[in-house]
Amino acid sequence: MSVLIKIGIGLITSKVIAIFIGPSGMALIGNMRNFMTSIESIATLGLNGGIIKTVAENKDDSEKINKILSTIFIAFLAVAILLSIVLLLFADYFNHKIFGQNYQYSFVFKVLAVAIPFYTLSIFLLSVINGLGKFKNVIYINIVGNIIGLLVSVLLIMYFQTLGALLAIVITPSLLFLVTLYFINKEISILNILRKKNFDFAVIKDLSSYSLMALFSGIFGSLIYLAIRKNVIATVGIQEAGYWESITRISGYYLMFATTLISVYYLPKLSTSKKNEETRAIFLSYFKNILPVFILGVTVIYFLRFFIIKILFTKEFIPVENLFFWQLSGDIFKVASFILGYQFIARKMTKIFILTEVFSLTLMFASSYYLTFLFGIEGVVMAHAVTYFVYFIVLVFYFRKTIFFKRN
C-alpha cells in the first residue's frame, strides 16, 4: 500500500508539473533531483543501510546502541551544518552549475541550506526506527510524509510554477522530520541517548564499507546523469531533455516495485546465505518468478504508452512515446541485474562494486554522448539499453560460478 500510494502521488505530481510547467521545466526538475541525490549521499555519509543493519544487530545491547546512535547523530549533524554553510555561501555558483546562466534559482539553494539539517535528521531517525524492526511505523511515516509532500508540492507548483517545483524538491523531504520524531519518541528516549560522551569514531569506521558504496553510487552516479542531461540540453534542446526526464519518471514508478521487493525480501536472504548452492537458489527464484512478471508488465506498458502519456502528462509530451522501446528494454536488463548487484551489498564487496559502477557509469556517459550526437534524444535511451545489457553480461560473468553452480 505504501508503494502504491507513493506511485499514485508521483503520478499526480507529474500531471501537475506537465500542466503548469511543461517539458522545459521537467528538465530543470531532473537536474535538481540529481543534485539532491548527491547532497543526500553526502549529508548521510552513505550510512542509511549500515544504520539499519547495525541497529538491528545491537538493539538489545543498550550501551552499544547508545554509542552507535550518538556517534552517527553527531556525525550527521556536523556534516549537515557544514553543507548548509557551503550552500549558503555558494548558492549562485550551484545555480550556474545546475541550471546554467539563463536561470536564476539561487534562492532554492538557500532554502535547501536551511532544510538540509532537518532532512538529514529525518533520514537518521527513520533508519533507526527501521533498524528497531518497527516496519509498520516506517510505512506510516512514508505514507504521511508522501501525502504532506503532495499537498505542499501541488500548492507550490500551482502558485510559483518552476520555482515552486524546485522548492518542493528541497522542502518536502525535510517535512518528515517532525513525523519521524513523533514515532521514534514512542520507542526510545532519543534525548537521553544522544550525548557527546558516547561518540566513538570506531562506529563510523565499522560502517565504512556501506558508506563507500552508497557515497560513490549516489554522488558519482548523480553527477554523471546531470552531465548527460546538460549535454542533451546543449545538443538537442531543453524540451527534449524534458522528454527524457518524463520517461525516466515513468520508469521510476514501475521500478519501485522491483527495488522494494529486492530490498525487503531478497537482500536479507542474500545476506544470510552461506553457500553457493543457497545463493544460486535465490538467484534462480528471482529469475524464474520475478523477472518474467516484470517483462510481461513492461510489455503491457509499451502497448499502452499513448494512453499513459495522455494520463500522466499533456499533448506537449506526445514525443515521449518514441523513447519507450529503448527505455523499457534497458529496464529489463536493469531489473535482471538488480539481484546480482545486491550481492555486492549483501557481501560487502566494496571494491568490485565500485569497479562495476565506474564501468557502467562511464559506459553510460560515453555512449549517451555519442548516440545523442547520432540519433538525438533517442540516443540517450539507446545508451541506457546498451549500458544495462553490457552491465548484466558483466555481472553474469563475474557470478558465473554461483549462477551455474552444480552440486557434485
mmCIF file of all heavy atoms in Angstrom, residues 22-24 26-27 232 237-250 313 315-321 323 377 381:
data_model
loop_
_atom_site.group_PDB
_atom_site.id
_atom_site.type_symbol
_atom_site.label_atom_id
_atom_site.label_comp_id
_atom_site.label_asym_id
_atom_site.label_seq_id
_atom_site.Cartn_x
_atom_site.Cartn_y
_atom_site.Cartn_z
ATOM 1 N N GLY A 22 5.480 22.176 -18.048
ATOM 2 C CA GLY A 22 5.819 21.697 -19.385
ATOM 3 C C GLY A 22 7.171 20.996 -19.441
ATOM 4 O O GLY A 22 7.864 20.865 -18.420
ATOM 5 N N PRO A 23 7.568 20.543 -20.622
ATOM 6 C CA PRO A 23 8.812 19.764 -20.780
ATOM 7 C C PRO A 23 10.078 20.481 -20.320
ATOM 8 O O PRO A 23 10.967 19.875 -19.729
ATOM 9 C CB PRO A 23 8.856 19.487 -22.291
ATOM 10 C CG PRO A 23 7.445 19.583 -22.746
ATOM 11 C CD PRO A 23 6.825 20.644 -21.887
ATOM 12 N N SER A 24 10.193 21.779 -20.607
ATOM 13 C CA SER A 24 11.411 22.502 -20.232
ATOM 14 C C SER A 24 11.588 22.535 -18.714
ATOM 15 O O SER A 24 12.692 22.343 -18.196
ATOM 16 C CB SER A 24 11.386 23.923 -20.793
ATOM 17 O OG SER A 24 10.266 24.640 -20.304
ATOM 18 N N MET A 26 10.381 20.344 -16.706
ATOM 19 C CA MET A 26 10.662 18.963 -16.309
ATOM 20 C C MET A 26 12.162 18.683 -16.351
ATOM 21 O O MET A 26 12.700 17.977 -15.494
ATOM 22 C CB MET A 26 9.921 17.994 -17.243
ATOM 23 C CG MET A 26 9.912 16.559 -16.777
ATOM 24 S SD MET A 26 8.739 16.235 -15.435
ATOM 25 C CE MET A 26 7.185 16.172 -16.334
ATOM 26 N N ALA A 27 12.843 19.239 -17.342
ATOM 27 C CA ALA A 27 14.295 19.039 -17.466
ATOM 28 C C ALA A 27 15.031 19.674 -16.285
ATOM 29 O O ALA A 27 15.957 19.077 -15.726
ATOM 30 C CB ALA A 27 14.796 19.634 -18.770
ATOM 31 N N VAL A 232 22.418 16.975 -23.256
ATOM 32 C CA VAL A 232 21.184 16.879 -24.056
ATOM 33 C C VAL A 232 20.608 18.269 -24.289
ATOM 34 O O VAL A 232 20.206 18.612 -25.409
ATOM 35 C CB VAL A 232 20.148 15.974 -23.353
ATOM 36 C CG1 VAL A 232 18.789 16.088 -24.042
ATOM 37 C CG2 VAL A 232 20.618 14.526 -23.345
ATOM 38 N N GLY A 237 18.317 20.367 -27.096
ATOM 39 C CA GLY A 237 17.356 21.326 -26.562
ATOM 40 C C GLY A 237 16.752 20.927 -25.227
ATOM 41 O O GLY A 237 16.712 19.745 -24.868
ATOM 42 N N ILE A 238 16.246 21.918 -24.505
ATOM 43 C CA ILE A 238 15.702 21.682 -23.174
ATOM 44 C C ILE A 238 14.355 20.946 -23.225
ATOM 45 O O ILE A 238 14.014 20.192 -22.310
ATOM 46 C CB ILE A 238 15.571 23.019 -22.407
ATOM 47 C CG1 ILE A 238 15.350 22.752 -20.914
ATOM 48 C CG2 ILE A 238 14.449 23.891 -22.993
ATOM 49 C CD1 ILE A 238 15.506 23.976 -20.050
ATOM 50 N N GLN A 239 13.599 21.133 -24.314
ATOM 51 C CA GLN A 239 12.334 20.397 -24.455
ATOM 52 C C GLN A 239 12.594 18.896 -24.487
ATOM 53 O O GLN A 239 11.937 18.120 -23.800
ATOM 54 C CB GLN A 239 11.637 20.810 -25.759
ATOM 55 C CG GLN A 239 11.084 22.219 -25.754
ATOM 56 C CD GLN A 239 9.739 22.309 -25.060
ATOM 57 O OE1 GLN A 239 9.607 22.963 -24.041
ATOM 58 N NE2 GLN A 239 8.747 21.657 -25.616
ATOM 59 N N GLU A 240 13.596 18.503 -25.301
ATOM 60 C CA GLU A 240 13.931 17.091 -25.441
ATOM 61 C C GLU A 240 14.462 16.517 -24.124
ATOM 62 O O GLU A 240 14.198 15.361 -23.783
ATOM 63 C CB GLU A 240 14.961 16.896 -26.557
ATOM 64 C CG GLU A 240 14.406 17.035 -27.971
ATOM 65 C CD GLU A 240 14.057 18.473 -28.348
ATOM 66 O OE1 GLU A 240 14.481 19.405 -27.608
ATOM 67 O OE2 GLU A 240 13.361 18.672 -29.357
ATOM 68 N N ALA A 241 15.222 17.340 -23.405
ATOM 69 C CA ALA A 241 15.711 16.903 -22.092
ATOM 70 C C ALA A 241 14.533 16.643 -21.155
ATOM 71 O O ALA A 241 14.572 15.732 -20.322
ATOM 72 C CB ALA A 241 16.645 17.955 -21.493
ATOM 73 N N GLY A 242 13.474 17.441 -21.300
ATOM 74 C CA GLY A 242 12.258 17.233 -20.521
ATOM 75 C C GLY A 242 11.568 15.931 -20.878
ATOM 76 O O GLY A 242 10.999 15.256 -20.017
ATOM 77 N N TYR A 243 11.620 15.550 -22.170
ATOM 78 C CA TYR A 243 11.042 14.270 -22.586
ATOM 79 C C TYR A 243 11.789 13.115 -21.929
ATOM 80 O O TYR A 243 11.170 12.137 -21.481
ATOM 81 C CB TYR A 243 11.112 14.116 -24.116
ATOM 82 C CG TYR A 243 10.341 15.165 -24.888
ATOM 83 C CD1 TYR A 243 10.753 15.558 -26.168
ATOM 84 C CD2 TYR A 243 9.203 15.760 -24.354
ATOM 85 C CE1 TYR A 243 10.056 16.522 -26.889
ATOM 86 C CE2 TYR A 243 8.494 16.718 -25.067
ATOM 87 C CZ TYR A 243 8.931 17.104 -26.336
ATOM 88 O OH TYR A 243 8.245 18.055 -27.036
ATOM 89 N N TRP A 244 13.112 13.229 -21.876
ATOM 90 C CA TRP A 244 13.910 12.173 -21.241
ATOM 91 C C TRP A 244 13.596 12.076 -19.749
ATOM 92 O O TRP A 244 13.444 10.976 -19.203
ATOM 93 C CB TRP A 244 15.407 12.443 -21.452
ATOM 94 C CG TRP A 244 16.298 11.414 -20.810
ATOM 95 C CD1 TRP A 244 16.113 10.057 -20.801
ATOM 96 C CD2 TRP A 244 17.489 11.654 -20.057
ATOM 97 N NE1 TRP A 244 17.114 9.437 -20.101
ATOM 98 C CE2 TRP A 244 17.978 10.400 -19.630
ATOM 99 C CE3 TRP A 244 18.194 12.807 -19.710
ATOM 100 C CZ2 TRP A 244 19.142 10.260 -18.875
ATOM 101 C CZ3 TRP A 244 19.353 12.680 -18.963
ATOM 102 C CH2 TRP A 244 19.816 11.421 -18.559
ATOM 103 N N GLU A 245 13.459 13.225 -19.087
ATOM 104 C CA GLU A 245 13.105 13.219 -17.665
ATOM 105 C C GLU A 245 11.729 12.586 -17.460
ATOM 106 O O GLU A 245 11.502 11.867 -16.472
ATOM 107 C CB GLU A 245 13.104 14.652 -17.122
ATOM 108 C CG GLU A 245 12.616 14.796 -15.690
ATOM 109 C CD GLU A 245 13.461 14.077 -14.669
ATOM 110 O OE1 GLU A 245 14.622 13.721 -14.988
ATOM 111 O OE2 GLU A 245 12.979 13.849 -13.539
ATOM 112 N N SER A 246 10.824 12.796 -18.406
ATOM 113 C CA SER A 246 9.472 12.232 -18.306
ATOM 114 C C SER A 246 9.498 10.710 -18.377
ATOM 115 O O SER A 246 8.857 10.039 -17.566
ATOM 116 C CB SER A 246 8.583 12.793 -19.420
ATOM 117 O OG SER A 246 8.532 14.194 -19.359
ATOM 118 N N ILE A 247 10.238 10.156 -19.336
ATOM 119 C CA ILE A 247 10.311 8.695 -19.455
ATOM 120 C C ILE A 247 11.049 8.105 -18.258
ATOM 121 O O ILE A 247 10.755 7.002 -17.795
ATOM 122 C CB ILE A 247 10.970 8.262 -20.789
ATOM 123 C CG1 ILE A 247 10.777 6.746 -21.034
ATOM 124 C CG2 ILE A 247 12.444 8.598 -20.830
ATOM 125 C CD1 ILE A 247 9.374 6.330 -21.285
ATOM 126 N N THR A 248 12.000 8.863 -17.702
ATOM 127 C CA THR A 248 12.720 8.410 -16.511
ATOM 128 C C THR A 248 11.785 8.342 -15.311
ATOM 129 O O THR A 248 11.871 7.412 -14.492
ATOM 130 C CB THR A 248 13.901 9.368 -16.193
ATOM 131 O OG1 THR A 248 14.769 9.437 -17.325
ATOM 132 C CG2 THR A 248 14.689 8.881 -14.994
ATOM 133 N N ARG A 249 10.876 9.314 -15.208
ATOM 134 C CA ARG A 249 9.903 9.306 -14.108
ATOM 135 C C ARG A 249 8.964 8.107 -14.229
ATOM 136 O O ARG A 249 8.674 7.433 -13.240
ATOM 137 C CB ARG A 249 9.087 10.607 -14.108
ATOM 138 C CG ARG A 249 9.884 11.830 -13.708
ATOM 139 C CD ARG A 249 9.038 13.086 -13.828
ATOM 140 N NE ARG A 249 8.125 13.213 -12.717
ATOM 141 C CZ ARG A 249 8.388 13.897 -11.595
ATOM 142 N NH1 ARG A 249 9.548 14.499 -11.443
ATOM 143 N NH2 ARG A 249 7.487 13.995 -10.633
ATOM 144 N N ILE A 250 8.488 7.840 -15.446
ATOM 145 C CA ILE A 250 7.616 6.681 -15.665
ATOM 146 C C ILE A 250 8.355 5.408 -15.271
ATOM 147 O O ILE A 250 7.821 4.538 -14.585
ATOM 148 C CB ILE A 250 7.170 6.611 -17.137
ATOM 149 C CG1 ILE A 250 6.276 7.808 -17.481
ATOM 150 C CG2 ILE A 250 6.421 5.297 -17.410
ATOM 151 C CD1 ILE A 250 5.978 7.957 -18.965
ATOM 152 N N PHE A 313 0.677 13.133 -18.528
ATOM 153 C CA PHE A 313 1.210 14.412 -18.971
ATOM 154 C C PHE A 313 0.175 15.167 -19.808
ATOM 155 O O PHE A 313 -1.013 15.092 -19.545
ATOM 156 C CB PHE A 313 2.519 14.193 -19.741
ATOM 157 C CG PHE A 313 3.545 13.391 -18.973
ATOM 158 C CD1 PHE A 313 3.893 12.105 -19.369
ATOM 159 C CD2 PHE A 313 4.155 13.921 -17.844
ATOM 160 C CE1 PHE A 313 4.830 11.365 -18.656
ATOM 161 C CE2 PHE A 313 5.089 13.198 -17.131
ATOM 162 C CZ PHE A 313 5.425 11.916 -17.528
ATOM 163 N N LYS A 315 -0.526 16.976 -24.111
ATOM 164 C CA LYS A 315 -0.222 16.749 -25.524
ATOM 165 C C LYS A 315 1.206 17.149 -25.889
ATOM 166 O O LYS A 315 1.781 16.607 -26.839
ATOM 167 C CB LYS A 315 -1.220 17.529 -26.398
ATOM 168 C CG LYS A 315 -2.640 16.996 -26.334
ATOM 169 C CD LYS A 315 -3.574 17.815 -27.227
ATOM 170 C CE LYS A 315 -4.996 17.278 -27.167
ATOM 171 N NZ LYS A 315 -5.923 18.071 -28.017
ATOM 172 N N GLU A 316 1.768 18.085 -25.126
ATOM 173 C CA GLU A 316 3.149 18.510 -25.376
ATOM 174 C C GLU A 316 4.148 17.365 -25.245
ATOM 175 O O GLU A 316 5.242 17.412 -25.804
ATOM 176 C CB GLU A 316 3.551 19.601 -24.373
ATOM 177 C CG GLU A 316 3.033 20.992 -24.678
ATOM 178 C CD GLU A 316 3.628 21.996 -23.710
ATOM 179 O OE1 GLU A 316 3.090 22.123 -22.594
ATOM 180 O OE2 GLU A 316 4.641 22.636 -24.061
ATOM 181 N N PHE A 317 3.766 16.336 -24.505
ATOM 182 C CA PHE A 317 4.687 15.243 -24.188
ATOM 183 C C PHE A 317 4.522 14.026 -25.112
ATOM 184 O O PHE A 317 5.138 12.987 -24.876
ATOM 185 C CB PHE A 317 4.499 14.797 -22.733
ATOM 186 C CG PHE A 317 4.978 15.801 -21.726
ATOM 187 C CD1 PHE A 317 4.178 16.889 -21.372
ATOM 188 C CD2 PHE A 317 6.223 15.673 -21.131
ATOM 189 C CE1 PHE A 317 4.609 17.823 -20.431
ATOM 190 C CE2 PHE A 317 6.663 16.598 -20.193
ATOM 191 C CZ PHE A 317 5.859 17.682 -19.849
ATOM 192 N N ILE A 318 3.709 14.146 -26.169
ATOM 193 C CA ILE A 318 3.487 13.024 -27.088
ATOM 194 C C ILE A 318 4.808 12.447 -27.646
ATOM 195 O O ILE A 318 4.940 11.224 -27.796
ATOM 196 C CB ILE A 318 2.546 13.441 -28.251
ATOM 197 C CG1 ILE A 318 1.132 13.698 -27.714
ATOM 198 C CG2 ILE A 318 2.515 12.377 -29.341
ATOM 199 C CD1 ILE A 318 0.463 12.475 -27.091
ATOM 200 N N PRO A 319 5.831 13.271 -27.971
ATOM 201 C CA PRO A 319 7.091 12.714 -28.478
ATOM 202 C C PRO A 319 7.776 11.721 -27.535
ATOM 203 O O PRO A 319 8.662 10.978 -27.961
ATOM 204 C CB PRO A 319 7.967 13.959 -28.674
ATOM 205 C CG PRO A 319 7.000 15.071 -28.922
ATOM 206 C CD PRO A 319 5.841 14.756 -28.034
ATOM 207 N N VAL A 320 7.354 11.688 -26.278
ATOM 208 C CA VAL A 320 7.945 10.748 -25.311
ATOM 209 C C VAL A 320 7.711 9.302 -25.742
ATOM 210 O O VAL A 320 8.496 8.408 -25.421
ATOM 211 C CB VAL A 320 7.367 10.990 -23.891
ATOM 212 C CG1 VAL A 320 7.845 9.924 -22.897
ATOM 213 C CG2 VAL A 320 7.761 12.376 -23.392
ATOM 214 N N GLU A 321 6.647 9.072 -26.520
ATOM 215 C CA GLU A 321 6.336 7.694 -26.933
ATOM 216 C C GLU A 321 7.460 7.075 -27.749
ATOM 217 O O GLU A 321 7.632 5.851 -27.745
ATOM 218 C CB GLU A 321 5.009 7.643 -27.696
ATOM 219 C CG GLU A 321 4.998 8.295 -29.056
ATOM 220 C CD GLU A 321 5.323 7.313 -30.180
ATOM 221 O OE1 GLU A 321 5.369 6.092 -29.924
ATOM 222 O OE2 GLU A 321 5.564 7.805 -31.299
ATOM 223 N N LEU A 323 10.471 7.131 -27.015
ATOM 224 C CA LEU A 323 11.547 6.728 -26.099
ATOM 225 C C LEU A 323 11.225 5.449 -25.338
ATOM 226 O O LEU A 323 12.108 4.900 -24.665
ATOM 227 C CB LEU A 323 11.816 7.861 -25.095
ATOM 228 C CG LEU A 323 12.049 9.268 -25.668
ATOM 229 C CD1 LEU A 323 12.325 10.249 -24.547
ATOM 230 C CD2 LEU A 323 13.192 9.275 -26.673
ATOM 231 N N ILE A 377 17.590 12.779 -29.087
ATOM 232 C CA ILE A 377 17.175 12.387 -27.745
ATOM 233 C C ILE A 377 17.007 10.875 -27.613
ATOM 234 O O ILE A 377 17.194 10.304 -26.522
ATOM 235 C CB ILE A 377 15.863 13.121 -27.343
ATOM 236 C CG1 ILE A 377 15.553 12.896 -25.854
ATOM 237 C CG2 ILE A 377 14.704 12.688 -28.208
ATOM 238 C CD1 ILE A 377 16.614 13.388 -24.916
ATOM 239 N N VAL A 381 18.277 7.083 -24.477
ATOM 240 C CA VAL A 381 17.632 5.838 -24.032
ATOM 241 C C VAL A 381 18.267 4.625 -24.699
ATOM 242 O O VAL A 381 18.271 3.525 -24.132
ATOM 243 C CB VAL A 381 16.104 5.880 -24.269
ATOM 244 C CG1 VAL A 381 15.424 6.724 -23.219
ATOM 245 C CG2 VAL A 381 15.749 6.381 -25.656
#
